[in-house]
Amino acid sequence: MTRSWGRRRAQEAGGALDRYAYAFLAGGRRRVVESAVVALTEQGALSLRATRLRPTGAVQSTHAVEYAVIVACPRSKRVQEVIDTVGRSQPLDDLARQLVCLGLLSGRRQRTTRAGRRLLAAAASEGSLPRYVVEGPAVLATGPVRHGLLSATPIPDGLGRTLRRMGKALDDDHGSSTDGAPGGGIGCGGSSGGD
């Protein structure tokens, strides 16, 4: 009884899901943001050159995920920074919560459930979704959008992320001024007490 109710609820939800919900089921938070970037570049609201996103000023969408992407790059920003920022945003948290409530995503680790995989496979076989939503940016035609999204590399978790932040902070400190230490180096604040 419970299984059939859950299956029926997932099937009914299939009609109410948009491309970003399916993107979440196909590839998680990253795929949602990548799909929004592709949609916004197709609309002409964003320009992607090398690995930097720039808004063009022509915003036509009111979807919360697309709006979060546009807000994340007010001028020009690296694609990976936008993916990281929007991936932790409220619209994606709300989308995940909706998919968990529908039984399409597991609660804790946010992995696609069996019902979610079935629903995604059905939508993909209908051809109602753009291929990049299901398969990712690798299926895009060769060009700046495909290159920019595939070149974006995630910042490593844990120690790697911390080391990158520390390196960036040191670069910023070193580039600003070194007149606080003798000889142009970075002062450590200690002294050698000679007798």
Side-chain angles (χ1 to χ4, degrees), residues 66-87:
E66 292 176 359
Y67 183 74
V69 169
I70 290 170
V71 168
C73 54
R75 290 186 188 91
S76 171
K77 204 156 224 180
R78 285 182 37 245
V79 174
Q80 188 57 49
E81 289 179 47
V82 172
I83 290 172
D84 289 342
T85 301
V86 178

mmCIF file with all atom_site columns, all heavy atoms in Angstrom, residues 66-87:
data_model
loop_
_atom_site.group_PDB
_atom_site.id
_atom_site.type_symbol
_atom_site.label_atom_id
_atom_site.label_alt_id
_atom_site.label_comp_id
_atom_site.label_asym_id
_atom_site.label_entity_id
_atom_site.label_seq_id
_atom_site.pdbx_PDB_ins_code
_atom_site.Cartn_x
_atom_site.Cartn_y
_atom_site.Cartn_z
_atom_site.occupancy
_atom_site.B_iso_or_equiv
_atom_site.pdbx_formal_charge
_atom_site.auth_seq_id
_atom_site.auth_comp_id
_atom_site.auth_asym_id
_atom_site.auth_atom_id
_atom_site.pdbx_PDB_model_num
ATOM 1   N N   . GLU A 1 66 ? 17.337 30.889 -11.857 1.00 0.00 ? 66 GLU A N   1
ATOM 2   C CA  . GLU A 1 66 ? 17.954 31.783 -12.845 1.00 0.00 ? 66 GLU A CA  1
ATOM 3   C C   . GLU A 1 66 ? 18.236 33.148 -12.233 1.00 0.00 ? 66 GLU A C   1
ATOM 4   O O   . GLU A 1 66 ? 19.281 33.748 -12.482 1.00 0.00 ? 66 GLU A O   1
ATOM 5   C CB  . GLU A 1 66 ? 17.059 31.906 -14.074 1.00 0.00 ? 66 GLU A CB  1
ATOM 6   C CG  . GLU A 1 66 ? 16.967 30.609 -14.857 1.00 0.00 ? 66 GLU A CG  1
ATOM 7   C CD  . GLU A 1 66 ? 16.022 30.676 -16.031 1.00 0.00 ? 66 GLU A CD  1
ATOM 8   O OE1 . GLU A 1 66 ? 15.381 31.745 -16.259 1.00 0.00 ? 66 GLU A OE1 1
ATOM 9   O OE2 . GLU A 1 66 ? 15.899 29.656 -16.742 1.00 0.00 ? 66 GLU A OE2 1
ATOM 10  N N   . TYR A 1 67 ? 17.336 33.622 -11.421 1.00 0.00 ? 67 TYR A N   1
ATOM 11  C CA  . TYR A 1 67 ? 17.537 34.899 -10.740 1.00 0.00 ? 67 TYR A CA  1
ATOM 12  C C   . TYR A 1 67 ? 18.753 34.821 -9.813  1.00 0.00 ? 67 TYR A C   1
ATOM 13  O O   . TYR A 1 67 ? 19.562 35.742 -9.763  1.00 0.00 ? 67 TYR A O   1
ATOM 14  C CB  . TYR A 1 67 ? 16.277 35.289 -9.963  1.00 0.00 ? 67 TYR A CB  1
ATOM 15  C CG  . TYR A 1 67 ? 16.380 36.631 -9.294  1.00 0.00 ? 67 TYR A CG  1
ATOM 16  C CD1 . TYR A 1 67 ? 16.314 37.801 -10.033 1.00 0.00 ? 67 TYR A CD1 1
ATOM 17  C CD2 . TYR A 1 67 ? 16.565 36.727 -7.920  1.00 0.00 ? 67 TYR A CD2 1
ATOM 18  C CE1 . TYR A 1 67 ? 16.428 39.038 -9.432  1.00 0.00 ? 67 TYR A CE1 1
ATOM 19  C CE2 . TYR A 1 67 ? 16.677 37.956 -7.299  1.00 0.00 ? 67 TYR A CE2 1
ATOM 20  C CZ  . TYR A 1 67 ? 16.608 39.112 -8.059  1.00 0.00 ? 67 TYR A CZ  1
ATOM 21  O OH  . TYR A 1 67 ? 16.738 40.339 -7.451  1.00 0.00 ? 67 TYR A OH  1
ATOM 22  N N   . ALA A 1 68 ? 18.907 33.695 -9.104  1.00 0.00 ? 68 ALA A N   1
ATOM 23  C CA  . ALA A 1 68 ? 20.059 33.523 -8.215  1.00 0.00 ? 68 ALA A CA  1
ATOM 24  C C   . ALA A 1 68 ? 21.370 33.536 -9.003  1.00 0.00 ? 68 ALA A C   1
ATOM 25  O O   . ALA A 1 68 ? 22.379 34.071 -8.543  1.00 0.00 ? 68 ALA A O   1
ATOM 26  C CB  . ALA A 1 68 ? 19.925 32.221 -7.421  1.00 0.00 ? 68 ALA A CB  1
ATOM 27  N N   . VAL A 1 69 ? 21.367 32.954 -10.200 1.00 0.00 ? 69 VAL A N   1
ATOM 28  C CA  . VAL A 1 69 ? 22.578 32.961 -11.042 1.00 0.00 ? 69 VAL A CA  1
ATOM 29  C C   . VAL A 1 69 ? 22.904 34.389 -11.457 1.00 0.00 ? 69 VAL A C   1
ATOM 30  O O   . VAL A 1 69 ? 24.060 34.811 -11.395 1.00 0.00 ? 69 VAL A O   1
ATOM 31  C CB  . VAL A 1 69 ? 22.399 32.043 -12.272 1.00 0.00 ? 69 VAL A CB  1
ATOM 32  C CG1 . VAL A 1 69 ? 23.529 32.248 -13.272 1.00 0.00 ? 69 VAL A CG1 1
ATOM 33  C CG2 . VAL A 1 69 ? 22.334 30.587 -11.848 1.00 0.00 ? 69 VAL A CG2 1
ATOM 34  N N   . ILE A 1 70 ? 21.902 35.136 -11.872 1.00 0.00 ? 70 ILE A N   1
ATOM 35  C CA  . ILE A 1 70 ? 22.144 36.521 -12.309 1.00 0.00 ? 70 ILE A CA  1
ATOM 36  C C   . ILE A 1 70 ? 22.647 37.374 -11.144 1.00 0.00 ? 70 ILE A C   1
ATOM 37  O O   . ILE A 1 70 ? 23.574 38.167 -11.297 1.00 0.00 ? 70 ILE A O   1
ATOM 38  C CB  . ILE A 1 70 ? 20.868 37.110 -12.935 1.00 0.00 ? 70 ILE A CB  1
ATOM 39  C CG1 . ILE A 1 70 ? 20.618 36.410 -14.272 1.00 0.00 ? 70 ILE A CG1 1
ATOM 40  C CG2 . ILE A 1 70 ? 20.984 38.611 -13.130 1.00 0.00 ? 70 ILE A CG2 1
ATOM 41  C CD1 . ILE A 1 70 ? 19.280 36.697 -14.889 1.00 0.00 ? 70 ILE A CD1 1
ATOM 42  N N   . VAL A 1 71 ? 22.062 37.186 -9.967  1.00 0.00 ? 71 VAL A N   1
ATOM 43  C CA  . VAL A 1 71 ? 22.491 37.949 -8.786  1.00 0.00 ? 71 VAL A CA  1
ATOM 44  C C   . VAL A 1 71 ? 23.918 37.571 -8.386  1.00 0.00 ? 71 VAL A C   1
ATOM 45  O O   . VAL A 1 71 ? 24.683 38.406 -7.911  1.00 0.00 ? 71 VAL A O   1
ATOM 46  C CB  . VAL A 1 71 ? 21.505 37.712 -7.613  1.00 0.00 ? 71 VAL A CB  1
ATOM 47  C CG1 . VAL A 1 71 ? 22.054 38.227 -6.301  1.00 0.00 ? 71 VAL A CG1 1
ATOM 48  C CG2 . VAL A 1 71 ? 20.176 38.375 -7.912  1.00 0.00 ? 71 VAL A CG2 1
ATOM 49  N N   . ALA A 1 72 ? 24.315 36.321 -8.624  1.00 0.00 ? 72 ALA A N   1
ATOM 50  C CA  . ALA A 1 72 ? 25.648 35.849 -8.223  1.00 0.00 ? 72 ALA A CA  1
ATOM 51  C C   . ALA A 1 72 ? 26.760 36.447 -9.069  1.00 0.00 ? 72 ALA A C   1
ATOM 52  O O   . ALA A 1 72 ? 27.923 36.408 -8.671  1.00 0.00 ? 72 ALA A O   1
ATOM 53  C CB  . ALA A 1 72 ? 25.709 34.324 -8.288  1.00 0.00 ? 72 ALA A CB  1
ATOM 54  N N   . CYS A 1 73 ? 26.429 36.975 -10.237 1.00 0.00 ? 73 CYS A N   1
ATOM 55  C CA  . CYS A 1 73 ? 27.485 37.600 -11.058 1.00 0.00 ? 73 CYS A CA  1
ATOM 56  C C   . CYS A 1 73 ? 27.037 38.991 -11.495 1.00 0.00 ? 73 CYS A C   1
ATOM 57  O O   . CYS A 1 73 ? 26.632 39.198 -12.634 1.00 0.00 ? 73 CYS A O   1
ATOM 58  C CB  . CYS A 1 73 ? 27.849 36.728 -12.257 1.00 0.00 ? 73 CYS A CB  1
ATOM 59  S SG  . CYS A 1 73 ? 26.482 36.255 -13.304 1.00 0.00 ? 73 CYS A SG  1
ATOM 60  N N   . PRO A 1 74 ? 27.118 39.975 -10.576 1.00 0.00 ? 74 PRO A N   1
ATOM 61  C CA  . PRO A 1 74 ? 26.641 41.321 -10.897 1.00 0.00 ? 74 PRO A CA  1
ATOM 62  C C   . PRO A 1 74 ? 27.434 42.000 -12.018 1.00 0.00 ? 74 PRO A C   1
ATOM 63  O O   . PRO A 1 74 ? 26.884 42.751 -12.791 1.00 0.00 ? 74 PRO A O   1
ATOM 64  C CB  . PRO A 1 74 ? 26.791 42.083 -9.580  1.00 0.00 ? 74 PRO A CB  1
ATOM 65  C CG  . PRO A 1 74 ? 27.782 41.309 -8.798  1.00 0.00 ? 74 PRO A CG  1
ATOM 66  C CD  . PRO A 1 74 ? 27.675 39.886 -9.244  1.00 0.00 ? 74 PRO A CD  1
ATOM 67  N N   . ARG A 1 75 ? 28.701 41.697 -12.131 1.00 0.00 ? 75 ARG A N   1
ATOM 68  C CA  . ARG A 1 75 ? 29.518 42.265 -13.205 1.00 0.00 ? 75 ARG A CA  1
ATOM 69  C C   . ARG A 1 75 ? 30.119 41.133 -14.017 1.00 0.00 ? 75 ARG A C   1
ATOM 70  O O   . ARG A 1 75 ? 29.598 40.740 -15.027 1.00 0.00 ? 75 ARG A O   1
ATOM 71  C CB  . ARG A 1 75 ? 30.609 43.159 -12.629 1.00 0.00 ? 75 ARG A CB  1
ATOM 72  C CG  . ARG A 1 75 ? 30.070 44.429 -12.048 1.00 0.00 ? 75 ARG A CG  1
ATOM 73  C CD  . ARG A 1 75 ? 31.180 45.366 -11.622 1.00 0.00 ? 75 ARG A CD  1
ATOM 74  N NE  . ARG A 1 75 ? 30.628 46.495 -10.907 1.00 0.00 ? 75 ARG A NE  1
ATOM 75  C CZ  . ARG A 1 75 ? 30.458 46.544 -9.603  1.00 0.00 ? 75 ARG A CZ  1
ATOM 76  N NH1 . ARG A 1 75 ? 30.817 45.530 -8.856  1.00 0.00 ? 75 ARG A NH1 1
ATOM 77  N NH2 . ARG A 1 75 ? 29.943 47.604 -9.026  1.00 0.00 ? 75 ARG A NH2 1
ATOM 78  N N   . SER A 1 76 ? 31.224 40.619 -13.548 1.00 0.00 ? 76 SER A N   1
ATOM 79  C CA  . SER A 1 76 ? 31.894 39.501 -14.215 1.00 0.00 ? 76 SER A CA  1
ATOM 80  C C   . SER A 1 76 ? 32.449 38.596 -13.127 1.00 0.00 ? 76 SER A C   1
ATOM 81  O O   . SER A 1 76 ? 33.071 39.068 -12.179 1.00 0.00 ? 76 SER A O   1
ATOM 82  C CB  . SER A 1 76 ? 33.041 40.027 -15.085 1.00 0.00 ? 76 SER A CB  1
ATOM 83  O OG  . SER A 1 76 ? 33.808 38.958 -15.563 1.00 0.00 ? 76 SER A OG  1
ATOM 84  N N   . LYS A 1 77 ? 32.203 37.308 -13.258 1.00 0.00 ? 77 LYS A N   1
ATOM 85  C CA  . LYS A 1 77 ? 32.626 36.381 -12.220 1.00 0.00 ? 77 LYS A CA  1
ATOM 86  C C   . LYS A 1 77 ? 33.002 35.053 -12.844 1.00 0.00 ? 77 LYS A C   1
ATOM 87  O O   . LYS A 1 77 ? 32.454 34.660 -13.869 1.00 0.00 ? 77 LYS A O   1
ATOM 88  C CB  . LYS A 1 77 ? 31.496 36.178 -11.221 1.00 0.00 ? 77 LYS A CB  1
ATOM 89  C CG  . LYS A 1 77 ? 31.987 35.743 -9.864  1.00 0.00 ? 77 LYS A CG  1
ATOM 90  C CD  . LYS A 1 77 ? 30.968 36.114 -8.835  1.00 0.00 ? 77 LYS A CD  1
ATOM 91  C CE  . LYS A 1 77 ? 31.650 36.720 -7.647  1.00 0.00 ? 77 LYS A CE  1
ATOM 92  N NZ  . LYS A 1 77 ? 30.738 37.091 -6.628  1.00 0.00 ? 77 LYS A NZ  1
ATOM 93  N N   . ARG A 1 78 ? 33.939 34.357 -12.207 1.00 0.00 ? 78 ARG A N   1
ATOM 94  C CA  . ARG A 1 78 ? 34.322 33.024 -12.667 1.00 0.00 ? 78 ARG A CA  1
ATOM 95  C C   . ARG A 1 78 ? 33.132 32.084 -12.555 1.00 0.00 ? 78 ARG A C   1
ATOM 96  O O   . ARG A 1 78 ? 32.360 32.143 -11.609 1.00 0.00 ? 78 ARG A O   1
ATOM 97  C CB  . ARG A 1 78 ? 35.483 32.484 -11.829 1.00 0.00 ? 78 ARG A CB  1
ATOM 98  C CG  . ARG A 1 78 ? 36.819 33.100 -12.154 1.00 0.00 ? 78 ARG A CG  1
ATOM 99  C CD  . ARG A 1 78 ? 37.991 32.522 -11.357 1.00 0.00 ? 78 ARG A CD  1
ATOM 100 N NE  . ARG A 1 78 ? 37.901 31.100 -11.125 1.00 0.00 ? 78 ARG A NE  1
ATOM 101 C CZ  . ARG A 1 78 ? 37.766 30.536 -9.900  1.00 0.00 ? 78 ARG A CZ  1
ATOM 102 N NH1 . ARG A 1 78 ? 37.695 31.283 -8.831  1.00 0.00 ? 78 ARG A NH1 1
ATOM 103 N NH2 . ARG A 1 78 ? 37.706 29.240 -9.771  1.00 0.00 ? 78 ARG A NH2 1
ATOM 104 N N   . VAL A 1 79 ? 33.003 31.206 -13.544 1.00 0.00 ? 79 VAL A N   1
ATOM 105 C CA  . VAL A 1 79 ? 31.892 30.257 -13.577 1.00 0.00 ? 79 VAL A CA  1
ATOM 106 C C   . VAL A 1 79 ? 31.868 29.422 -12.307 1.00 0.00 ? 79 VAL A C   1
ATOM 107 O O   . VAL A 1 79 ? 30.808 29.206 -11.712 1.00 0.00 ? 79 VAL A O   1
ATOM 108 C CB  . VAL A 1 79 ? 32.001 29.342 -14.819 1.00 0.00 ? 79 VAL A CB  1
ATOM 109 C CG1 . VAL A 1 79 ? 30.951 28.258 -14.790 1.00 0.00 ? 79 VAL A CG1 1
ATOM 110 C CG2 . VAL A 1 79 ? 31.882 30.159 -16.090 1.00 0.00 ? 79 VAL A CG2 1
ATOM 111 N N   . GLN A 1 80 ? 33.014 28.947 -11.856 1.00 0.00 ? 80 GLN A N   1
ATOM 112 C CA  . GLN A 1 80 ? 33.044 28.082 -10.675 1.00 0.00 ? 80 GLN A CA  1
ATOM 113 C C   . GLN A 1 80 ? 32.567 28.814 -9.431  1.00 0.00 ? 80 GLN A C   1
ATOM 114 O O   . GLN A 1 80 ? 31.903 28.233 -8.587  1.00 0.00 ? 80 GLN A O   1
ATOM 115 C CB  . GLN A 1 80 ? 34.445 27.508 -10.460 1.00 0.00 ? 80 GLN A CB  1
ATOM 116 C CG  . GLN A 1 80 ? 34.488 26.467 -9.370  1.00 0.00 ? 80 GLN A CG  1
ATOM 117 C CD  . GLN A 1 80 ? 33.530 25.314 -9.626  1.00 0.00 ? 80 GLN A CD  1
ATOM 118 O OE1 . GLN A 1 80 ? 33.516 24.751 -10.710 1.00 0.00 ? 80 GLN A OE1 1
ATOM 119 N NE2 . GLN A 1 80 ? 32.721 24.962 -8.645  1.00 0.00 ? 80 GLN A NE2 1
ATOM 120 N N   . GLU A 1 81 ? 32.885 30.099 -9.311  1.00 0.00 ? 81 GLU A N   1
ATOM 121 C CA  . GLU A 1 81 ? 32.407 30.866 -8.160  1.00 0.00 ? 81 GLU A CA  1
ATOM 122 C C   . GLU A 1 81 ? 30.879 30.976 -8.179  1.00 0.00 ? 81 GLU A C   1
ATOM 123 O O   . GLU A 1 81 ? 30.227 30.877 -7.137  1.00 0.00 ? 81 GLU A O   1
ATOM 124 C CB  . GLU A 1 81 ? 33.027 32.265 -8.159  1.00 0.00 ? 81 GLU A CB  1
ATOM 125 C CG  . GLU A 1 81 ? 34.500 32.288 -7.829  1.00 0.00 ? 81 GLU A CG  1
ATOM 126 C CD  . GLU A 1 81 ? 35.060 33.703 -7.880  1.00 0.00 ? 81 GLU A CD  1
ATOM 127 O OE1 . GLU A 1 81 ? 34.424 34.610 -7.302  1.00 0.00 ? 81 GLU A OE1 1
ATOM 128 O OE2 . GLU A 1 81 ? 36.115 33.881 -8.496  1.00 0.00 ? 81 GLU A OE2 1
ATOM 129 N N   . VAL A 1 82 ? 30.310 31.165 -9.366  1.00 0.00 ? 82 VAL A N   1
ATOM 130 C CA  . VAL A 1 82 ? 28.855 31.246 -9.497  1.00 0.00 ? 82 VAL A CA  1
ATOM 131 C C   . VAL A 1 82 ? 28.229 29.897 -9.140  1.00 0.00 ? 82 VAL A C   1
ATOM 132 O O   . VAL A 1 82 ? 27.239 29.834 -8.413  1.00 0.00 ? 82 VAL A O   1
ATOM 133 C CB  . VAL A 1 82 ? 28.454 31.694 -10.920 1.00 0.00 ? 82 VAL A CB  1
ATOM 134 C CG1 . VAL A 1 82 ? 26.952 31.601 -11.122 1.00 0.00 ? 82 VAL A CG1 1
ATOM 135 C CG2 . VAL A 1 82 ? 28.951 33.107 -11.189 1.00 0.00 ? 82 VAL A CG2 1
ATOM 136 N N   . ILE A 1 83 ? 28.833 28.805 -9.628  1.00 0.00 ? 83 ILE A N   1
ATOM 137 C CA  . ILE A 1 83 ? 28.315 27.467 -9.324  1.00 0.00 ? 83 ILE A CA  1
ATOM 138 C C   . ILE A 1 83 ? 28.346 27.216 -7.822  1.00 0.00 ? 83 ILE A C   1
ATOM 139 O O   . ILE A 1 83 ? 27.381 26.716 -7.254  1.00 0.00 ? 83 ILE A O   1
ATOM 140 C CB  . ILE A 1 83 ? 29.109 26.389 -10.098 1.00 0.00 ? 83 ILE A CB  1
ATOM 141 C CG1 . ILE A 1 83 ? 28.780 26.469 -11.589 1.00 0.00 ? 83 ILE A CG1 1
ATOM 142 C CG2 . ILE A 1 83 ? 28.810 24.989 -9.558  1.00 0.00 ? 83 ILE A CG2 1
ATOM 143 C CD1 . ILE A 1 83 ? 29.643 25.587 -12.472 1.00 0.00 ? 83 ILE A CD1 1
ATOM 144 N N   . ASP A 1 84 ? 29.443 27.584 -7.170  1.00 0.00 ? 84 ASP A N   1
ATOM 145 C CA  . ASP A 1 84 ? 29.558 27.382 -5.720  1.00 0.00 ? 84 ASP A CA  1
ATOM 146 C C   . ASP A 1 84 ? 28.547 28.241 -4.950  1.00 0.00 ? 84 ASP A C   1
ATOM 147 O O   . ASP A 1 84 ? 27.882 27.761 -4.029  1.00 0.00 ? 84 ASP A O   1
ATOM 148 C CB  . ASP A 1 84 ? 30.972 27.712 -5.231  1.00 0.00 ? 84 ASP A CB  1
ATOM 149 C CG  . ASP A 1 84 ? 32.001 26.688 -5.665  1.00 0.00 ? 84 ASP A CG  1
ATOM 150 O OD1 . ASP A 1 84 ? 31.611 25.562 -6.050  1.00 0.00 ? 84 ASP A OD1 1
ATOM 151 O OD2 . ASP A 1 84 ? 33.207 27.017 -5.641  1.00 0.00 ? 84 ASP A OD2 1
ATOM 152 N N   . THR A 1 85 ? 28.418 29.501 -5.335  1.00 0.00 ? 85 THR A N   1
ATOM 153 C CA  . THR A 1 85 ? 27.520 30.417 -4.632  1.00 0.00 ? 85 THR A CA  1
ATOM 154 C C   . THR A 1 85 ? 26.062 29.993 -4.780  1.00 0.00 ? 85 THR A C   1
ATOM 155 O O   . THR A 1 85 ? 25.323 29.890 -3.799  1.00 0.00 ? 85 THR A O   1
ATOM 156 C CB  . THR A 1 85 ? 27.698 31.857 -5.162  1.00 0.00 ? 85 THR A CB  1
ATOM 157 O OG1 . THR A 1 85 ? 29.061 32.240 -4.954  1.00 0.00 ? 85 THR A OG1 1
ATOM 158 C CG2 . THR A 1 85 ? 26.778 32.829 -4.457  1.00 0.00 ? 85 THR A CG2 1
ATOM 159 N N   . VAL A 1 86 ? 25.642 29.752 -6.012  1.00 0.00 ? 86 VAL A N   1
ATOM 160 C CA  . VAL A 1 86 ? 24.244 29.393 -6.257  1.00 0.00 ? 86 VAL A CA  1
ATOM 161 C C   . VAL A 1 86 ? 23.951 27.993 -5.731  1.00 0.00 ? 86 VAL A C   1
ATOM 162 O O   . VAL A 1 86 ? 22.843 27.720 -5.264  1.00 0.00 ? 86 VAL A O   1
ATOM 163 C CB  . VAL A 1 86 ? 23.896 29.521 -7.756  1.00 0.00 ? 86 VAL A CB  1
ATOM 164 C CG1 . VAL A 1 86 ? 22.459 29.098 -8.024  1.00 0.00 ? 86 VAL A CG1 1
ATOM 165 C CG2 . VAL A 1 86 ? 24.128 30.951 -8.229  1.00 0.00 ? 86 VAL A CG2 1
ATOM 166 N N   . GLY A 1 87 ? 24.940 27.113 -5.746  1.00 0.00 ? 87 GLY A N   1
ATOM 167 C CA  . GLY A 1 87 ? 24.753 25.761 -5.227  1.00 0.00 ? 87 GLY A CA  1
ATOM 168 C C   . GLY A 1 87 ? 24.398 25.734 -3.757  1.00 0.00 ? 87 GLY A C   1
ATOM 169 O O   . GLY A 1 87 ? 23.777 24.782 -3.282  1.00 0.00 ? 87 GLY A O   1
#
